[in-house]
């Protein structure tokens, strides 16, 4: 049985990339979203559900969309929750540079999770809400409590209220590709030995 399911958020406006759909940009011959989906499937964190336009989930087990679209990551998470039958869910962005390594760190840490899960914290003490594994029931309760205020609410409105184990990690592990400069730098690097998902 899967140790958790996965929600991959792929429905944002990509403003820092000038509005270009980052989920479908290529890195080492793969779309960014497909790299994350493949890494989650390889780690047996299934089902893997993409929250975004239909075409972004070609390799996922399921694609759903927040309604209305573009109402924020918390609304995206809420849209995926009805599809989950696992106790835990991993929440990830579609533009991770090293999804395989990040997922492995989360899976290892989940052997001793907090009451409501685990979230990564980078070297600058930034909580990486979209790099965590959460108890599904806790997310459902938190989203339901917001009711109509869910749309465009910040992630911390729900996630910061949970009892989470906060795991310090290096910045590189949480690196995402949300600017042209970050994507160009990633493309210039050789793929690590732990490919294809790196």
């Amino acid at each position: 049985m899967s140790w958790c399911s996965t929600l991959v958020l792929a429905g944002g406006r990509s403003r820092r990339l000038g509005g270009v759909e980052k989920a479908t940009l290529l890195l080492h011959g793969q779309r960014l979203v497909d790299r994350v989906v493949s890494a989650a499937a390889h780690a047996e964190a299934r089902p893997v559900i993409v929250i975004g336009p239909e075409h972004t989930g070609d390799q996922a087990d399921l694609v759903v969309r927040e309604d209305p679209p573009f109402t924020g990551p918390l609304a995206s998470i809420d849209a995926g929750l009805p599809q989950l039958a696992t106790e835990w869910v991993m929440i990830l962005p579609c533009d991770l540079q090293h999804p395989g390594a990040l997922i492995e760190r989360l899976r290892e840490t989940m052997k001793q999770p907090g009451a409501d899960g685990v979230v990564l914290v980078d070297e600058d003490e930034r909580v990486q809400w979209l790099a965590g594994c959460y108890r599904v029931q806790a997310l459902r309760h938190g989203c339901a409590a917001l009711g109509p205020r869910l749309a465009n609410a910040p992630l911390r409105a729900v996630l910061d209220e949970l009892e989470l184990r906060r795991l310090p990690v290096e910045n590189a592990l949480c690196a995402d590709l949300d600017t042209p400069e970050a994507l160009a730098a990633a493309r210039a690097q050789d793929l690590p030995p732990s490919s294809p998902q790196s």
Side-chain angles (χ1 to χ4, degrees), residues 85-163:
T86 54
E87 180 180 6
W88 301 98
V89 60
M90 187 163 46
I91 298 176
L92 304 172
C94 68
D95 61 344
L96 288 170
Q97 184 172 353
H98 304 294
L102 187 150
I103 289 169
E104 285 305 311
R105 186 73 62 89
L106 282 174
R107 180 163 65 169
E108 181 64 26
T109 306
M110 282 299 292
K111 292 176 181 177
Q112 293 182 310
D116 294 321
V118 172
V119 65
L120 304 186
V121 181
D122 69 20
E123 294 171 278
D124 300 314
E125 299 185 352
R126 293 172 299 196
V127 180
Q128 300 292 321
W129 299 118
L130 296 184
C133 194
Y134 305 96
R135 192 180 298 278
V136 172
Q137 190 57 36
L139 293 178
R140 287 176 174 151
H141 177 78
C143 288
L146 281 182
R149 295 178 291 126
L150 184 73
N152 297 307
L155 286 166
R156 64 178 179 274
V158 168
L159 302 185
D160 202 25
E161 299 300 313
L162 304 184
E163 187 178 338

Side-chain angles (χ1 to χ4, degrees), residues 1-187:
M1 183 177 177
S2 174
W3 60 282
C4 78
S5 48
T6 305
L7 297 181
V8 180
L9 276 57
R13 294 186 186 274
S14 304
R15 289 188 179 93
R16 298 182 71 186
L17 281 164
V20 176
E21 188 177 52
K22 64 182 173 183
T24 59
L25 293 173
L26 297 180
L27 177 61
H28 304 307
Q30 273 189 300
R31 300 190 309 172
L32 295 184
V33 65
D34 294 339
R35 297 177 77 248
V36 178
V37 169
S38 177
H42 180 75
E44 300 179 343
R46 304 186 83 155
V48 183
I49 301 171
V50 167
I51 317 296
E54 188 69 29
H55 65 270
T56 62
D58 293 347
Q59 297 188 21
D61 296 307
L62 184 67
V63 184
V64 298
R65 193 74 197 264
E66 73 277 16
D67 184 21
F70 305 119
T71 45
L74 198 54
S76 296
I77 291 168
D78 186 58
L81 292 178
Q83 310 300 327
L84 304 180
T86 54
E87 180 180 6
W88 301 98
V89 60
M90 187 163 46
I91 298 176
L92 304 172
C94 68
D95 61 344
L96 288 170
Q97 184 172 353
H98 304 294
L102 187 150
I103 289 169
E104 285 305 311
R105 186 73 62 89
L106 282 174
R107 180 163 65 169
E108 181 64 26
T109 306
M110 282 299 292
K111 292 176 181 177
Q112 293 182 310
D116 294 321
V118 172
V119 65
L120 304 186
V121 181
D122 69 20
E123 294 171 278
D124 300 314
E125 299 185 352
R126 293 172 299 196
V127 180
Q128 300 292 321
W129 299 118
L130 296 184
C133 194
Y134 305 96
R135 192 180 298 278
V136 172
Q137 190 57 36
L139 293 178
R140 287 176 174 151
H141 177 78
C143 288
L146 281 182
R149 295 178 291 126
L150 184 73
N152 297 307
L155 286 166
R156 64 178 179 274
V158 168
L159 302 185
D160 202 25
E161 299 300 313
L162 304 184
E163 187 178 338
L164 301 170
R165 179 180 176 192
R166 301 194 178 197
L167 179 69
V169 297
E170 58 274 23
N171 286 350
L173 188 70
C174 302
D176 53 24
L177 305 174
D178 61 354
T179 67
E181 295 78 13
L183 183 60
R187 285 171 170 168

